[in-house]
Amino acid sequence: MEKQSGKQSQQTENTYQIRPNFKNKFRSAIVKDILHSILNERLTGTLYHSENTSQLCREISDEIKGKLKELNLARYKYIVQVVIGEQRGEGVKMAARCFWDADTDNYATETFINESLFCVAAAYGVFLY
């Protein structure tokens, strides 16, 4: 270990690994299950209140991001988006466009709907080269 400005830093060897191995890839099915369980747990029985929606979106997205980090997928960056709206019977369309590597990067989405609100959560896993 080297000592730099009062902090200890650890030198690591380069692995020259440019792709994750098969078992360490971002898997949509596993992430979709995580999204489903968190949305059901947090939103079942919840009524829509515009004052609380922003905070609720942040809390849910932080919880999702925390669960994704527990998967311990090395060198993945996670992007989580949560949208909550009032359920009025109107249609809503959402779209996202990304520039990524289809071999390593992936995403999962989940939708929750009750009498009062709808919620769409999307989680993206992007491998860092």
Side-chain angles (χ1 to χ4, degrees):
M1 281 205 225
E2 293 181 7
K3 190 143 188 156
Q4 295 178 347
S5 65
K7 295 181 182 178
Q8 291 182 350
S9 69
Q10 186 176 10
Q11 292 283 330
T12 57
E13 294 291 323
N14 291 333
T15 62
Y16 302 105
Q17 180 181 0
I18 60 170
R19 301 235 184 258
N21 61 27
F22 184 73
K23 66 181 177 180
N24 289 333
K25 281 190 172 183
F26 185 93
R27 302 206 186 279
S28 296
I30 294 170
V31 176
K32 189 169 179 73
D33 289 342
I34 291 170
L35 297 175
H36 180 77
S37 66
I38 290 173
L39 293 183
N40 280 332
E41 178 184 310
R42 294 295 306 266
L43 297 175
T44 300
T46 301
L47 298 176
Y48 178 82
H49 296 290
S50 60
E51 312 82 46
N52 304 337
T53 303
S54 178
Q55 179 65 30
L56 186 58
C57 284
R58 274 193 295 276
E59 290 172 2
I60 291 172
S61 61
D62 286 343
E63 187 174 346
I64 292 169
K65 191 171 63 172
K67 290 285 187 186
L68 293 177
K69 287 182 178 181
E70 289 176 11
L71 295 175
N72 292 321
L73 300 176
R75 295 173 55 184
Y76 269 93
K77 180 173 183 140
Y78 303 112
I79 301 155
V80 177
Q81 179 183 23
V82 176
V83 176
I84 297 176
E86 187 174 9
Q87 178 74 315
R88 292 184 176 179
E90 301 170 352
V92 174
K93 295 188 180 195
M94 296 177 61
R97 294 176 62 99
C98 302
F99 184 72
W100 65 17
D101 184 348
D103 290 336
T104 59
D105 306 336
N106 213 337
Y107 75 99
T109 62
E110 182 65 26
T111 303
F112 176 90
I113 299 173
N114 68 16
E115 308 79 32
S116 178
L117 59 83
F118 69 89
C119 177
V120 179
Y124 303 87
V126 181
F127 187 76
L128 297 176
Y129 292 97

